[in-house]
Amino acid sequence: MSGIYSLFNPSKVIGGAGSITQIADVAQGYNAKNVVLITDAGVFKAGLTTKPQQILAQAGIAVHIISDVPPEPPLEAVNHIFNEAVKFNADMVIGIGGGSAMDTAKLVALMLHNQDISLKEVTSGQKKFVQPSLPTLMVPTTSGTGSEATQNSIVLDTEQELKIGIVDEKLVASSVILDAELTVGLPKSITANTGIDALCHAIECYISKKASPFSDMFALKAVELITQNIRTAFNDGKNIIARENMLLGSFLGGACIATSSTVAVHALSYPLGGKYHIPHGLSNAILLADVMKFNLPVCTEKFANVAQAMGLDVQGCTQQQAAEKMIDELYALIRDLEIKCDLSAVGINEEILDELVDSAFKVRRLLDNNPREMTKADIKTIYQKII
């Protein structure tokens, strides 16, 4: 555990089914008169921005909607959306959607106050953003990325064919609304993939070399909320209690990232999304159990604690037995949630393994925090398992 640790949090978090009705109050708290609302086409077509827009308009707040955030947004797309947002002279940015929409909204809000610094200069490490962000409000519509709670934004560098994590405390959202009603219509596959992504955040941050008392507390509660509700949310998407617990678990998983760090699951996931465009949640989901099995020898005590948080029957078990039950439960979750990915269909096979390994091995920001050192041979073995 780190000797010195810190936590970045949104200044205001509003939760509860129907809490989107508070959106104008939040905007007025920042004296916002002119808002840019950033989302993706799926969320927009599903009508999830209609009510927020109406509530804001009724409060006399002008709303400009940008609804073309692509999945796993590349640098070029973020720059395009930024250039659109500049036209509106906004005094607040709202992100409604999954991780891609919220990551983009957070970046655009920060870029609007740092227009002399290009995104490419930041991702290449040449410069950092200097000025604080415009006020932001994040409204997640999936229970997965936890972007609403983190100081991270993920973008795709198409030249390197690799996802890059921009980490800056100025990216922490000003406010968050967690309204489970916005997640009721999620398809089963997205419920599963984003839910396991949130579970990845909790478990990875709990075992990370950067783990702190904050992340330990958030992680175990997140594990409890996610693992004890995800099957219900998957099988009965309209169960508002399960949906609310999943949304809170996802937020707490993001809060873990805000004080700790993800580790090898995310490191190995980045090349799968960067070049082969496998959705982030899905790539994490198919890697989780195998990476944790690799980490088992050095994480026995912590995995035993995770098993308890999962609600598994570990009475009378040794720590080793409890930890092994936790690994078994991860494999069971993947089966029960029907998580699968035909990697060969997107061109991933034995022939390109070394290329994948080299890409993953470069993600030192995450691999260096993994509790067990991972060699290229170890990474190759894990990729072989999922293939």
Side-chain angles (χ1 to χ4, degrees):
M1 184 179 293
S2 307
I4 298 173
Y5 47 90
S6 57
L7 173 64
F8 306 109
N9 260 339
S11 59
K12 186 172 191 175
V13 182
I14 302 171
S19 54
I20 194 64
T21 56
Q22 305 297 302
I23 192 168
D25 292 341
V26 173
Q28 288 170 332
Y30 298 103
N31 297 313
K33 302 292 184 187
N34 201 17
V35 164
V36 168
L37 193 160
I38 295 175
T39 189
D40 62 65
V43 169
F44 183 73
K45 288 175 185 173
L48 296 181
T49 60
T50 303
K51 186 174 181 179
Q53 183 180 15
Q54 290 172 343
I55 295 170
L56 289 164
Q58 286 167 3
I61 298 168
V63 183
H64 310 278
I65 295 182
I66 300 174
S67 61
D68 57 352
V69 176
E72 325 289 329
L75 290 173
E76 298 80 8
V78 177
N79 280 325
H80 166 74
I81 292 167
F82 162 70
N83 288 329
E84 285 295 302
V86 167
K87 301 173 185 176
F88 300 126
N89 194 30
D91 47 26
M92 184 176 188
V93 175
I94 298 175
I96 299 182
S100 295
M102 291 190 290
D103 281 2
T104 300
K106 292 194 300 182
L107 273 175
V108 167
L110 189 50
M111 292 165 72
L112 286 169
H113 262 187
N114 291 270
Q115 295 190 33
D116 57 333
I117 299 171
S118 74
L119 188 55
K120 185 66 177 177
E121 287 174 321
V122 174
T123 57
S124 64
Q126 297 173 45
K127 292 186 178 180
K128 291 184 177 182
F129 293 119
V130 178
Q131 300 300 324
S133 169
L134 277 178
T136 54
L137 168 63
M138 296 299 121
V139 186
T141 61
T142 68
S143 302
T145 68
S147 176
E148 69 276 8
T150 75
Q151 70 271 42
N152 301 6
S153 285
I154 309 298
V155 293
L156 173 63
D157 186 322
T158 49
E159 291 178 11
Q160 296 188 62
E161 296 182 323
L162 190 66
K163 290 183 181 179
I164 295 174
I166 300 171
V167 183
D168 190 322
E169 63 186 85
K170 293 184 283 296
L171 285 168
V172 176
S174 310
S175 293
V176 174
I177 290 178
L178 303 174
D179 186 347
E181 290 181 359
L182 300 180
T183 69
V184 166
L186 273 181
K188 293 178 76 170
S189 62
I190 297 179
T191 297
N193 295 343
T194 59
I196 295 298
D197 185 20
L199 182 61
C200 283
H201 299 155
I203 296 177
E204 287 185 89
C205 290
Y206 185 55
I207 65 171
S208 170
K209 289 179 182 177
K210 283 190 173 179
S212 74
F214 292 133
S215 58
D216 286 357
M217 174 180 64
F218 293 140
L220 292 176
K221 187 62 179 180
V223 167
E224 175 192 328
L225 289 165
I226 294 164
T227 57
Q228 296 187 33
N229 288 277
I230 192 168
R231 288 181 175 92
T232 302
F234 178 77
N235 291 309
D236 177 14
K238 290 184 167 55
N239 187 309
I240 198 68
I241 295 173
R243 288 295 193 188
E244 193 160 343
N245 285 332
M246 287 296 298
L247 196 56
L248 181 55
S250 174
F251 174 80
L252 293 176
C256 289
I257 296 174
T259 181
S260 179
S261 166
T262 55
V263 290
V265 176
H266 275 66
L268 272 61
S269 168
Y270 280 0
L272 298 180
K275 181 170 185 178
Y276 297 96
H277 308 295
I278 297 172
H280 178 69
L282 177 57
S283 57
N284 283 339
I286 60 177
L287 284 160
L288 175 60
D290 287 320
V291 171
M292 291 308 144
K293 191 171 184 178
F294 170 83
N295 283 324
L296 177 60
V298 298
C299 293
T300 308
E301 181 181 354
K302 285 207 162 186
F303 283 176
N305 294 339
V306 172
Q308 285 190 308
M310 287 175 161
L312 302 178
D313 182 7
V314 293
Q315 190 171 0
C317 291
T318 63
Q319 280 190 346
Q320 180 70 25
Q321 290 168 333
E324 289 171 357
K325 280 195 172 188
M326 189 278 283
I327 300 292
D328 290 342
E329 172 65 359
L330 293 181
Y331 283 112
L333 273 173
I334 302 307
R335 287 194 304 271
D336 293 348
L337 300 175
E338 300 169 12
I339 290 171
K340 54 180 88 68
C341 182
D342 184 356
L343 297 180
S344 61
V346 293
I348 298 177
N349 52 42
E350 292 276 348
E351 293 175 9
I352 58 92
L353 267 183
D354 289 339
E355 175 190 315
L356 274 181
V357 170
D358 288 343
S359 292
F361 199 69
K362 292 177 185 175
V363 191
R364 302 315 311 175
R365 178 176 69 87
L366 304 181
L367 281 181
D368 288 345
N369 292 322
N370 199 63
R372 184 181 178 194
E373 185 179 351
M374 193 173 272
T375 65
K376 285 190 174 183
D378 296 325
I379 295 172
K380 188 171 186 176
T381 298
I382 291 170
Y383 277 142
Q384 284 173 324
K385 284 183 180 179
I386 67 169
I387 289 176

